[in-house]
Amino acid sequence: MTATPSEAPDSGTGARDSIAAAAPRDRKVTIDDVAARAGVSKSAVSFAFNGRPGVGEETKERILQAARELEWRPDARARALSRSRAQALGLVILRDPELVSTDPFFAQFVAGVESHLSTVGYALVLQVVDGQDAEKEAYSRFAREARVDGVFITDLRVDDERPSALAALGVPYVVLGSPEGEGSAPIGLDDAAGVRRAVRHLHALGHQRIAHVAGGDRYVHSRVRREAWESEMRRLGLEPGGVAQGDFTGGSGARATHELLDQTEAPTAIIYANDIMAIAGISAAIDRGLRVPQDLSVVGFDDIPLAPYITPPLTTVRQDVFRWGNACARTLVALIEEREHAPIDLPAVEFVVRGSTAKVPMPSETLPEGNE
Amino acid sequence: MTATPSEAPDSGTGARDSIAAAAPRDRKVTIDDVAARAGVSKSAVSFAFNGRPGVGEETKERILQAARELEWRPDARARALSRSRAQALGLVILRDPELVSTDPFFAQFVAGVESHLSTVGYALVLQVVDGQDAEKEAYSRFAREARVDGVFITDLRVDDERPSALAALGVPYVVLGSPEGEGSAPIGLDDAAGVRRAVRHLHALGHQRIAHVAGGDRYVHSRVRREAWESEMRRLGLEPGGVAQGDFTGGSGARATHELLDQTEAPTAIIYANDIMAIAGISAAIDRGLRVPQDLSVVGFDDIPLAPYITPPLTTVRQDVFRWGNACARTLVALIEEREHAPIDLPAVEFVVRGSTAKVPMPSETLPEGNE
DNA sequence: GTGAAAGCGCTAACAG
DNA sequence: CTGTTAGCGCTTTCAC
């Protein structure tokens, strides 16, 4: 492969990306410098910067001015030490190797959290771990090293030990998606409502055999979704027969779909615990010669950005993960600062109807045949 | 919608998830307590914990034992202050509202970074910002507040000011994907190679009109991909005619695809700058009555977990983002600690052939017709 | 109003 | 090898 470097444009950009780096530098401006420049004492500067009474309006302006000129900002480490507060929150994520990258949850949640933290000057410290032991260890280090003032618990598991462990460690926390509503915050994100909407939607289209691909019963949110499917089916007088276990990955979604479709009384519609599995499920169905939605209706969960752009566009349940993140951050900060939690309201779950659901096929027409 | 709470199983789990929270507790064990319990001085404990000479083997064991019993870990804030090192690294992410959640990059990169940091006791502090000004501000705060000892620069832009700004601030950094290779680390992740492979693959299948959907020329990696496509086309004696601008989102991928397919000399194959656009592109093509890959071959970039599970499975370029993260972390930590950078090698880019590419259609058969 | 002084919990010289 | 002594840079009483 001897490339002839002939008419390469204005490149020079050897087609090779790389990791570049650069090193540090000189000394540091401290509160003393600012005090000196403003002609006041350290404490005056401190007071001015923390918006406390006891500093004259004019003096304050002079101090702020001096700080600006020196480009000074209070050193977070020193401040953390003297206030015994890290001014940081922790998020530890259990990295299911494949999942973490697919799941739209992670990034959006983090963005939501940040959207509040940045307004209150807290930082977010992240830790990605690869097992439950490491996870436990991570929380405990966060706590004992006092790196953070509080932590988020996400992906709550059934019989999760984290809340009690953290309580024992004396670390403030918020848990997202606890069905008990223990502690504070009567607001809730309602996975169940989304699933119920999905069931009713399909039922209204005439479907009777509505199956479910679950996401693993270890997770509370996953179990909640399955239970909601079950109970809504019953409520409508339908038998919640077909369930298949998935694990939120595409592969599991495809497998579960085949499993369901292999049954003698195959479903005419499937509700998946997330979009990834649903999309993989659509492919699996197509591979079997079924048409979606004519022969099989599919509903996902999450509304990932890709959902409108697959064929057919995916009908799904939309969660506003960003808002959750914001709400969680707000709650946790309030808790830490022992203020009243501002009342928090989360938007109701949305059900987005797109092209992957349709009327139930006429019993006789179920055979795959012909186009469109 | 009056639900009849009849045969609900072992629920009680009111179908409502929520945010729960709990609050803090008592006082803190310090290095003095450990020293007292071990019958030594503070400094002995400090030395023992930092693995420095000057502590007898037996004494050391006694100290460690005492620490264990007291469940003591050095306070990260105090340690940070006295060593003038935060023992933390910063990552600021520019949140393209939609993109951040789709992009497999973010989560995997973070996971990779962590995979090294956790072994050396550094924390990762994250900041998500929503504009270039906020981004700049974030970096500068990280630096001036000394919250972190170094930062990562990702998604390098053309004429990016961050490297010089950080250098001016005296903050160590590594930039991922700099084509200049300035500074250190001669290792590189080679986007260009991936694209060249894609072009050759399609060429080998007989394609001549191979178009490209780019990802926005502001980003270096995006430009590199486009340029690689161009130069490889020329090298093979083909005219790099069809380019359409996308922005890495599904919507832009669909639009760009229609644009390309509307041309009089429509392409028989399209290489997309990422998988999201490619998948949306496939849908767009299908909407026009084309079959993929029979009428149009499609190549993506990234190999997102969903890629094998769409219809048809996506041929794409796989990047080992996790490894980059690890490498970047390794490099940055070495830089901060002024050690020699352990030589770093990144795996070569992989080209994954799946079902979305096929031989070029016979000129006469291009009409959409019939199955398979 | 303002400034001196005592920590926050640890690290790192420095004598013993 | 061990203990004493200053800081790290900021916050925060408490006199002035």
Side-chain angles (χ1 to χ4, degrees), chain B residues 309-352:
Chain B
Y309 298 111
I310 60 161
T311 306
L314 189 63
T315 294
T316 188
V317 175
R318 179 186 302 161
Q319 304 262 48
D320 195 340
V321 181
F322 184 90
R323 297 277 280 279
W324 298 354
N326 183 281
C328 283
R330 205 179 284 279
T331 304
L332 187 48
V333 169
L335 195 66
I336 288 166
E337 302 187 343
E338 296 177 314
R339 290 196 324 260
E340 280 315 306
H341 330 222
I344 288 170
D345 56 20
L346 288 177
V349 68
E350 266 181 84
F351 187 65
V352 186

Side-chain angles (χ1 to χ4, degrees), chain B residues 12 34 42 83 116 136 139 157 181 215 286 303-304 307-308 313 350:
Chain B
V34 178
K42 293 192 338 178
R83 303 213 308 201
H116 182 243
K136 200 167 175 178
Y139 277 111
R157 297 181 289 267
I286 291 175
D303 195 25
I304 63 176
E350 266 181 84

Side-chain angles (χ1 to χ4, degrees), chain A residues 146-232:
Chain A
R147 249 190 212 285
V148 299
D149 304 318
V151 298
F152 298 97
I153 296 182
T154 61
D155 291 328
L156 189 67
R157 296 181 288 266
V158 177
D159 296 323
D160 206 311
E161 298 179 334
R162 289 175 292 172
S164 55
L166 287 168
L169 282 165
V171 181
Y173 65 85
V174 308
V175 13
L176 177 60
S178 150
E180 286 90 40
E182 66 198 38
S184 65
I187 34 77
L189 28 124
D190 209 343
D191 286 22
V195 173
R196 285 196 299 267
R197 294 274 295 275
V199 174
R200 289 201 295 270
H201 165 73
L202 292 168
H203 184 249
L205 290 170
H207 292 270
Q208 306 266 8
R209 297 198 302 282
I210 303 170
H212 179 55
V213 172
D217 258 14
R218 318 170 37 220
Y219 290 105
V220 170
H221 61 273
S222 170
R223 194 186 56 178
V224 164
R225 291 173 199 178
R226 183 180 55 68
E227 289 176 352
W229 163 77
E230 249 173 53
S231 65
E232 190 67 12

Side-chain angles (χ1 to χ4, degrees), chain A residues 63-105:
Chain A
I63 292 172
L64 263 23
Q65 177 62 30
R68 228 172 290 130
E69 289 166 11
L70 263 30
E71 298 195 311
W72 176 82
R73 304 258 328 177
D75 182 303
R77 301 165 306 195
R79 182 187 273 223
L81 184 56
S82 59
R83 305 212 306 200
S84 338
R85 183 163 291 173
Q87 201 84 192
L89 267 28
L91 175 59
V92 1
I93 291 178
L94 189 54
R95 174 180 121 84
D96 256 329
E98 180 177 353
L99 254 189
V100 82
S101 65
T102 323
D103 199 340
F105 176 85

Side-chain angles (χ1 to χ4, degrees), chain B residues 35 47 60 64 73 102 109 166 183 195 211 278 280 354:
Chain B
F47 273 51
K60 182 168 177 179
L64 263 23
R73 303 256 332 176
T102 322
F109 183 76
L166 287 168
V195 174
R354 287 196 274 251

